Amino acid sequence: MSETEFAICPYNESHRIAVFRMPKHLVKCELNYRGPPLKICKYNAAHRVLDMEEHLKECPYYRRFMDNKCLEIALTTRTAPTQEDGHVVSTPL
Ligand SMILES: [Zn+2]
Ligand SMILES: [Zn+2]
């Protein structure tokens, strides 16, 4: 039982490539590619798409990135000193 994940090569639908080999494959396949230029997703270099805006709507890596960002913001606001319950604690950050 192998757990290898396969993905479709963005340059050629008939290429089914193991996900871990995709970066290498893309470099090679890009050289033979004759179609319209594809944009490289900022959040996963293995994502090559024509329409980046459309792609970001469904890119799981982008979504994860945005989730992390929201988490970061939540954590930052939580550490803001809002102690108004009587005892003042001075915690040097
Ligand atoms: Zn390919
Ligand atoms: Zn992407």
Side-chain angles (χ1 to χ4, degrees):
M1 285 259 280
S2 82
E3 291 285 311
T4 309
E5 254 188 275
F6 286 88
I8 307 289
C9 169
Y11 292 113
N12 190 328
E13 284 183 0
S14 62
H15 296 167
R16 255 168 55 91
I17 310 298
V19 167
F20 69 93
R21 285 170 62 187
M22 186 63 91
K24 255 189 169 172
H25 174 85
L26 288 175
V27 173
K28 274 198 285 178
C29 209
E30 195 172 19
L31 298 174
N32 304 315
Y33 179 68
R34 294 282 175 269
L38 300 183
K39 298 186 181 85
I40 300 173
C41 175
K42 259 199 280 182
Y43 306 96
N44 185 329
H47 296 169
R48 314 278 168 118
V49 296
L50 267 181
D51 191 333
M52 189 53 71
E53 268 183 48
E54 273 303 308
H55 169 73
L56 288 183
K57 283 180 195 167
E58 49 194 49
C59 175
Y61 290 83
Y62 173 67
R63 204 163 297 162
R64 204 181 301 163
F65 174 81
M66 292 311 277
D67 282 352
N68 284 344
K69 246 188 145 179
C70 290
L71 192 70
E72 231 169 78
I73 292 164
L75 289 175
T76 319
T77 44
R78 202 189 296 161
T79 51
T82 47
Q83 305 224 337
E84 290 180 56
D85 50 9
H87 59 277
V88 179
V89 186
S90 61
T91 40
L93 293 171

